[in-house]
Amino acid sequence: MYVRAVLARPDRAAGEGDVRLDGALDFLQALWALDHVLQSASKRMERELGLTGPQRLVLRIVAANPRIGAGPLARTLHLHPSTLTGVLRRLEEQRLLKRLDDPADARRALFTITPQGARLVERKARTVESAVSQLLRTRPAGQIATVRAVLADLTRALARYTPGS
Amino acid sequence: MYVRAVLARPDRAAGEGDVRLDGALDFLQALWALDHVLQSASKRMERELGLTGPQRLVLRIVAANPRIGAGPLARTLHLHPSTLTGVLRRLEEQRLLKRLDDPADARRALFTITPQGARLVERKARTVESAVSQLLRTRPAGQIATVRAVLADLTRALARYTPGS
DNA sequence: CATATATCAGAATAACTGAAATAG
DNA sequence: CCTATTTCAGTTGTTCTGATATAT
């Protein structure tokens, strides 16, 4: 790939102990590229389905966990509670989620999916999900497991540098 | 992981041909989690180094390719030219990049890194890059290559659904 | 005149920080 | 009174679309 060639050109003399740097940079570029297409696909999905990737994921989790609270949801997604507020507000405005009161603790907000939300989440054509699903079928399970594990490691490693954790 | 357990609960009856859906969803959640920590780490880096992840990557590419044009840069990163405009403006405002005129074609804008930019890009402590670099060292090269390949496949697959391509 | 290059205008989500409101 | 939960206010970067200047 072009990017690989670009990044492989040394921008300074090779020093001691940084031989693998080019590999790391190449990997890094691949990560940002994936990040970028994820966000672009999310934006496209928003235009076509009226729902971004993160919003869709929240919807799925709520669908699978009726009456889940905002707190547990934030922790599940490793989001700052104030970030989730906006996401939930947008989903509520679109009548995809419904907010309930927790009878046991009035501070808490509970959420369930609406019929419209459920309908939307059932649609799988041309979603990020469908692309992932297709790809997974082209690779042996062992490889997928490896990728999954490395991704998780990387996420954990970066999470240590991150505010939310 | 908690998320895995959450997503594994079927939210509808298992139908024909979608047995692997839970796996795809789990994988998808891992992808979004990685996306999220990448952005969070990018935001933290912005506070600490005054530079986001994409900005840093642009800086590195310019460092390795003096007098690169905005167009080739955009194509390398698969960004819309108008997206890059903002990134370049911010880097220029911080005096990390310098804009040059192309003597051969006055429409083109060429960029080189400044000494300050070069200095900043040399700093590797607590960057996303350093985390990746460290992780790569803990895994056999074969695994890394597999991950790299799957990531590239996935990026390509999603790019087909994306505006910029 | 048509094409290529790049910027500008406008709009949206996501993400944070820090503060505030409410309830336990 | 202190803590927990959630929202609100304010800010920023990234990203797109569509339009616009400018040069080839």
Side-chain angles (χ1 to χ4, degrees):
Chain A
M1 263 173 85
Y2 178 48
V3 171
R4 181 177 198 114
V6 168
L7 289 176
R9 290 187 211 164
D11 53 352
R12 61 192 182 94
E16 45 291 273
D18 58 0
V19 187
R20 310 197 59 154
L21 184 65
D22 280 344
L25 261 181
D26 177 57
F27 197 90
L28 188 61
Q29 202 281 337
L31 280 181
W32 278 114
L34 180 57
D35 178 89
H36 175 236
V37 293
L38 267 176
Q39 297 193 50
S40 292
S42 171
K43 243 180 157 50
R44 178 197 51 72
M45 218 169 68
E46 183 189 2
R47 283 195 307 278
E48 295 185 1
L49 302 186
L51 207 57
T52 66
Q55 285 171 9
R56 194 179 152 95
L57 193 55
V58 166
L59 218 49
R60 286 211 76 103
I61 295 179
V62 173
N65 298 271
R67 303 180 63 80
I68 192 173
L73 206 44
R75 281 188 290 275
T76 299
L77 295 165
H78 303 105
L79 289 182
H80 193 282
S82 69
T83 301
L84 200 57
T85 297
V87 177
L88 290 174
R89 179 176 45 71
R90 284 182 283 271
L91 289 172
E92 234 187 315
E93 278 167 6
Q94 291 194 66
R95 307 273 191 278
L96 301 176
L97 284 187
K98 193 161 154 37
R99 176 184 301 262
L100 307 171
D101 295 326
D102 186 339
D105 184 343
R107 290 172 304 181
R108 288 192 165 90
L110 306 181
F111 294 89
T112 52
I113 198 164
T114 65
Q116 293 140 70
R119 211 155 37 229
L120 203 52
V121 115
E122 286 300 322
R123 276 213 47 185
K124 299 206 176 53
R126 286 176 64 73
T127 60
V128 173
E129 204 175 309
S130 65
V132 170
S133 194
Q134 255 186 301
L135 177 74
L136 259 45
R137 260 177 257 127
T138 70
R139 295 266 181 179
Q143 284 192 11
I144 299 300
T146 297
V147 175
R148 180 75 180 69
V150 172
L151 256 43
D153 277 2
L154 197 51
T155 301
R156 237 187 323 274
L158 288 172
R160 279 202 301 271
Y161 291 171
T162 254
S165 308
Chain B
M1 259 173 92
Y2 179 48
V3 170
R4 180 177 196 112
V6 167
L7 290 175
R9 291 186 209 165
D11 54 353
R12 62 193 183 94
E16 47 290 272
D18 59 0
V19 188
R20 312 195 59 154
L21 184 66
D22 280 342
L25 261 180
D26 178 56
F27 197 89
L28 187 60
Q29 202 282 337
L31 280 182
W32 279 114
L34 180 57
D35 178 89
H36 176 237
V37 291
L38 267 176
Q39 297 193 51
S40 291
S42 170
K43 245 183 155 49
R44 178 196 52 72
M45 220 168 67
E46 183 189 1
R47 284 194 307 278
E48 294 184 2
L49 301 186
L51 207 58
T52 66
Q55 285 170 9
R56 193 178 153 95
L57 193 55
V58 166
L59 217 50
R60 286 211 77 103
I61 295 179
V62 173
N65 299 271
R67 303 180 63 80
I68 191 173
L73 207 43
R75 281 187 290 276
T76 300
L77 295 165
H78 302 105
L79 289 181
H80 193 282
S82 69
T83 302
L84 202 55
T85 296
V87 177
L88 290 174
R89 179 175 44 72
R90 282 181 284 272
L91 289 173
E92 233 187 316
E93 279 167 4
Q94 290 195 64
R95 306 275 191 277
L96 302 177
L97 284 186
K98 192 162 154 37
R99 176 185 301 262
L100 306 171
D101 294 327
D102 186 339
D105 185 344
R107 289 172 304 182
R108 287 192 165 88
L110 306 182
F111 293 89
T112 52
I113 199 164
T114 65
Q116 293 139 71
R119 211 155 36 230
L120 203 52
V121 114
E122 286 301 321
R123 276 213 47 183
K124 300 206 177 50
R126 286 177 65 73
T127 61
V128 174
E129 204 175 309
S130 66
V132 170
S133 195
Q134 254 185 301
L135 177 73
L136 259 45
R137 261 177 256 127
T138 70
R139 295 268 181 178
Q143 283 192 11
I144 299 300
T146 297
V147 175
R148 181 75 180 70
V150 172
L151 256 43
D153 276 3
L154 198 51
T155 301
R156 238 188 320 275
L158 288 173
R160 279 203 299 271
Y161 291 170
T162 254
S165 308

